[in-house]
Amino acid sequence: MISIHYNTKDVDAYTVYAIEHFIKKYKIPMEINNSELGDASIKIEIQSSGNKKFDLKIQENEVQDEIQGWVKAKDEKIPIFEKPLPLELDFAKNVLAMFYSNTNQKYPCITLNGNFINFSFDIFKEVGYILAGHLERIWSSNKNEKNMIAKIPIVDCYEKILFDCLMLASAKLNVSLEHKPFWPDGKKFAVCLTHDVDRVKKTFQYVTHTIKNLKKGKIGLVLAQLSFLLRRENPYWNFDEIMEMEKRLGVKSTFFFLNERGKTSLFSPREWKLYWGRYDIKDEKIVETIKRLDAEGWEIGIHGSYNSYNNIKRMEEEKRILEELTGKKIHGVSQHYLNLDTVETWLYHEKLGLVYDTSVGFVDEIGFRRGTCYPYHPFDPAENRTLSLWELPITIMDSVFFSDKRDFWKESIKVLEKVEKYNGVLLLRWHQRFFNENEFPGMSSIYEKIIKICKEKDAWITNAYNIVEWLTMRERL
């Protein structure tokens, strides 16, 4: 038998959330058995034949607001929000991980001694708090820290450490520890292709983009924009181009359509970009495009309007209209500008019967906003429950490639490799208007290059709802 012992004075809700998340993610046949323990202790068991035992002990600890140091295990260096208790370093114990503090302290934090592994930090609390949004304080306060930490799937790193310890235990007991494959046909990772349809026609951008390109000395782009204007071409209508590209690559994606109906004020410049140039979702050409995409196997989802994240009636209306246009149930949503009032927005989505949201991510960064590249069920602390809704976190959004301050292509490849390593989902968010190479040079080719690299790595490349269907089926097995 393999047992995980977690002794605590008071069971934290986020700890239980993390334990359940780990069990569901790895699909290991584990049982929580508290019959022999006090109400505040948790014992997780993996049954095996024979009388041999292997124990893992996890030390309860308190998560702090700031990063306390780093845990180094194998080739990973992972930030930690608690300070582990020092474990003795002696020759009878194998060190599985070391803690490096911000004050240059260094000592073991995971050790192996015979059939016993000791964690001197609260791995479950780290996972639970980070999944619930503990990293948000970093994203809003420290750009340098954000750049470094955003590329580390902290939750996945810690869960892989725990899983590897269980595999070590099973090897020592000479028993097989089985877990369900993460993706169909044994694929190592998945790629989710998505597009937000914000605008389908260029309007005020002829002025704003021309000014911006003149300031940067990009005369070629200025001339290209004037050419579109003189020929009365629409550089934002790129649905055919996307469909042709994805057909050529043998993949299909999800299109999130916006139904923005808010009123704009001439005296509020902030609102201009939200409402000027918007489209009518009931326009004949839009409806025809939606129906064509749907008929040919692309998924249609809601791109929730700017204020729908805190207005359930508005969200309900947008869902109803899109379902009337498609004649079928809409499963998912991407909130405009990634607006989320967590957890309230997710509760709206769940109440309206949506199966997934994909609004957690960065606009100006790439990586893992909630510390994970794996889809998860959000946690509602007010009701102390895990939602049925899936969150599919965005990994790379097209907007980062407009910056020339950093090599985002190189960073994207490193993030892709992390997703592959941790069996996650690389979720791409590419707005359909960026697929015109004359208007936005390089944007469509970057999207295509990423897909080709992932195909070479034998990833499962699909749309958002297919990802969720697979995950839901896997959970029920």
Side-chain angles (χ1 to χ4, degrees), residues 211-331:
I211 294 172
K212 188 183 296 183
N213 288 323
L214 281 171
K215 286 182 177 179
K216 292 182 177 181
K218 296 182 178 180
I219 305 303
L221 288 179
V222 173
L223 294 174
Q225 293 185 59
L226 291 174
S227 176
F228 284 126
L229 183 61
L230 292 172
R231 295 199 307 268
R232 294 187 178 182
E233 293 181 7
N234 182 6
Y236 285 8
W237 190 270
N238 299 313
F239 297 101
D240 290 336
E241 287 78 4
I242 296 171
M243 293 173 76
E244 287 171 12
M245 175 193 289
E246 293 186 353
K247 282 179 181 177
R248 186 172 69 251
L249 295 169
V251 298
K252 289 183 179 177
S253 55
T254 300
F255 284 82
F256 296 104
F257 280 86
L258 179 67
N259 185 4
E260 188 64 80
R261 291 172 295 160
K263 294 181 180 180
T264 184
S265 168
L266 183 64
F267 304 103
S268 178
R270 190 186 69 85
E271 295 180 356
W272 296 353
K273 65 178 180 179
L274 295 177
Y275 303 128
W276 290 9
R278 62 190 171 184
Y279 59 91
D280 181 358
I281 200 167
K282 294 183 179 180
D283 178 83
E284 184 178 345
K285 193 176 180 182
I286 295 292
V287 173
E288 182 183 302
T289 300
I290 289 173
K291 289 184 176 180
R292 181 185 166 206
L293 285 164
D294 176 59
E296 295 190 28
W298 277 264
E299 185 197 0
I300 305 299
I302 306 167
H303 192 25
S305 62
Y306 188 77
N307 289 310
S308 66
Y309 74 99
N310 62 6
N311 188 328
I312 191 171
K313 289 184 178 180
R314 180 173 293 182
M315 174 61 68
E316 183 178 31
E317 180 70 2
E318 292 170 16
K319 179 174 181 285
R320 182 189 64 78
I321 290 172
L322 198 53
E323 287 180 337
E324 286 179 356
L325 294 178
T326 59
K328 59 175 60 173
K329 181 177 174 59
I330 297 297
H331 301 289

Side-chain angles (χ1 to χ4, degrees), residues 1 20 43 68 99 172 198 281 316 364 405 435:
M1 178 188 293
E20 292 175 348
K43 184 178 181 182
Q68 301 299 300
F99 169 70
K172 278 192 164 273
D198 294 352
I281 200 167
E316 183 178 31
D364 58 349
K405 295 179 181 179
F435 280 80

